[in-house]
Amino acid sequence: MSRARKSLVMTVLAACALTSAGTVPAAAAGDPLLPHPGPDGLVWVEEWTGDGGVASGGAWEGLPTVLTVACEGGGSVRVTMQSQEAEVAAFSVDCPAGSAGVGSATMAAGVVRAGSFTVGVDASADDVRWSLTVTQPE
């Protein structure tokens, strides 16, 4: 396994731990960029800085899926989502200094398959702060 891939795996695991524990990394500053997604939420990464991502299960293919990412700090983030090893979303978000940029992708019911999915966030700089949610609104 390449060093970059090992790093991504560790970051994904760390992001999962943060999401499930409800804690904030030491780099946290200020209010969350995105609010908690409520009962429609599958994933909420309250805050992360630099490259990262998340892996989760529990998606249902009978509902649409919305992936939202907010970021700030100058630069940009490139976001990709995979479901059952197929890329289902890819987009970029500009991350202005001093305010939040927001981007999202909405996938129709059935695009995200039942079970697990992953979201990767590739930040243009280590100090870009971001947050993400994955929801399945009814």
Side-chain angles (χ1 to χ4, degrees):
M1 185 180 289
S2 73
R3 192 172 108 187
R5 184 154 173 87
K6 284 181 188 176
S7 175
L8 177 60
V9 168
M10 292 308 294
T11 302
V12 167
L13 293 174
C16 287
L18 290 172
T19 301
S20 64
T23 60
V24 180
D31 295 328
L33 294 167
L34 291 174
H36 187 276
D40 293 335
L42 299 176
V43 171
W44 179 42
V45 175
E46 184 175 2
E47 184 170 318
W48 196 260
T49 304
D51 296 340
V54 66
S56 185
W60 188 50
E61 61 189 64
L63 291 173
T65 303
V66 180
L67 166 61
T68 304
V69 175
C71 59
E72 71 174 2
S76 63
V77 293
R78 175 79 178 143
V79 182
T80 56
M81 181 175 188
Q82 290 196 338
S83 172
Q84 304 298 322
E85 300 183 26
E87 187 172 274
V88 294
F91 59 93
S92 294
V93 182
D94 289 329
C95 310
S99 65
V102 179
S104 67
T106 301
M107 288 128 309
V111 172
V112 175
R113 310 289 284 193
S116 64
F117 60 89
T118 60
V119 179
V121 179
D122 182 20
S124 63
D126 289 339
D127 60 349
V128 170
R129 179 171 84 108
W130 56 268
S131 176
L132 74 79
T133 62
V134 178
T135 60
Q136 287 195 309
E138 293 192 43

